[in-house]
Amino acid sequence: MMGKIFYLMGKSASGKDHIYEFLRKQTKLQLTPLILYTTRPIRSGEENGREYFFVTEEKLECLREEKKIIEERMYRTVHGPWFYFTADDGQICLEKQDYLGIGTLESYRKMKAYFGEKIMVPLYVETEDGIRLERALKRERGQEHPKYAEMCRRFLADCEDFSEEKIQEAGITRRFGNNGQIEDCFSEIQNFVEEQKKLCYNEHK
């Protein structure tokens, strides 16, 4: 039986990081975290190998040469280019387990092209823009060295990266709203994941 990759997406400050952490801690879901790589600096409170593998651009180039990059994207920030990518480095074994990933809409499309539509299960989180902006500002203020310009750049870029046209092109039909109590969104997504795993199990009985 082939496993699934449940892939969490949403604009910045939509709450997807909190949702990811919630799902990761639900041991009964048996979702193995799919850890992505990034060349951006590590933030306060993050740990290498938990949120991301924080690597140099030299390491990224080595993985490119070894043809282990599944998907890659680069953001031109006020601090220089930051790369985020997924590598086929041996951590993914779909014959044995299901995975939980997090990324962008474009990275989801590339993952789907690589693994196939039957493997990828999108978890798209939506939050009203005003709420997102409030959350983003609060989070940035809590950093030792706030990067407000980068926060604004990312906020505006999301409008294009997550346009309705691109959401439809990616084949995403189910959306999970996070505009009130995040616990409600936790519960809705958890129930959906359980349903999908049950369907997969019944199909292969």
Side-chain angles (χ1 to χ4, degrees), residues 5-10 14-27 29 31-37 46-47 49-53 91 98-103 123 125 178 182 185-186 189-190 193:
I5 298 176
F6 293 88
Y7 207 74
L8 193 60
M9 296 163 283
S14 62
K16 61 183 181 296
D17 291 334
H18 294 295
I19 296 166
Y20 176 87
E21 283 303 308
F22 169 80
L23 294 174
R24 189 176 65 84
K25 293 176 181 177
Q26 305 311 301
T27 55
L29 293 179
L31 298 179
T32 300
L34 179 60
I35 309 299
L36 307 186
Y37 292 80
E46 293 182 328
E47 293 181 13
R50 187 179 67 185
E51 287 82 8
Y52 295 97
F53 291 118
Q91 69 168 312
D98 297 315
Y99 291 85
L100 176 65
I102 184 171
L123 304 173
V125 180
N178 182 25
I182 195 170
C185 193
F186 286 165
I189 293 180
Q190 180 178 348
V193 171

Side-chain angles (χ1 to χ4, degrees), residues 43-73:
R43 293 173 179 162
S44 300
E46 293 182 328
E47 293 181 13
N48 188 44
R50 187 179 67 185
E51 287 82 8
Y52 295 97
F53 291 118
F54 295 91
V55 297
T56 63
E57 289 191 32
E58 288 74 18
K59 175 63 174 180
L60 168 58
E61 185 56 37
C62 288
L63 290 169
R64 284 180 184 142
E65 292 176 358
E66 295 170 1
K67 300 186 184 302
K68 292 184 176 180
I69 302 298
I70 297 174
E71 60 85 23
E72 171 189 339
R73 61 268 191 197

Side-chain angles (χ1 to χ4, degrees), residues 83-166:
F83 293 87
Y84 292 78
F85 59 97
T86 307
D88 190 359
D89 56 356
Q91 69 168 312
I92 303 172
C93 183
L94 290 165
E95 290 81 7
K96 294 183 179 180
Q97 54 204 4
D98 297 315
Y99 291 85
L100 176 65
I102 184 171
T104 67
L105 188 62
E106 183 60 25
S107 67
Y108 166 74
R109 294 180 64 174
K110 290 178 179 178
M111 292 279 286
K112 187 167 71 168
Y114 187 89
F115 289 106
E117 189 170 4
K118 290 184 178 180
I119 297 298
M120 300 300 298
V121 181
L123 304 173
Y124 181 64
V125 180
E126 279 193 326
T127 303
E128 191 270 325
D129 283 347
I131 297 174
R132 289 199 305 113
L133 190 56
E134 289 176 357
R135 291 175 180 171
L137 186 57
K138 180 179 180 181
R139 180 176 65 185
E140 205 60 40
R141 280 176 175 157
Q143 297 295 313
E144 183 176 355
H145 301 289
K147 299 179 176 66
Y148 295 117
E150 169 58 20
M151 181 199 77
C152 293
R153 181 210 64 79
R154 187 177 179 187
F155 187 88
L156 294 173
D158 280 341
C159 294
E160 180 179 347
D161 294 342
F162 288 89
S163 68
E164 282 298 318
E165 182 180 6
K166 290 181 179 179

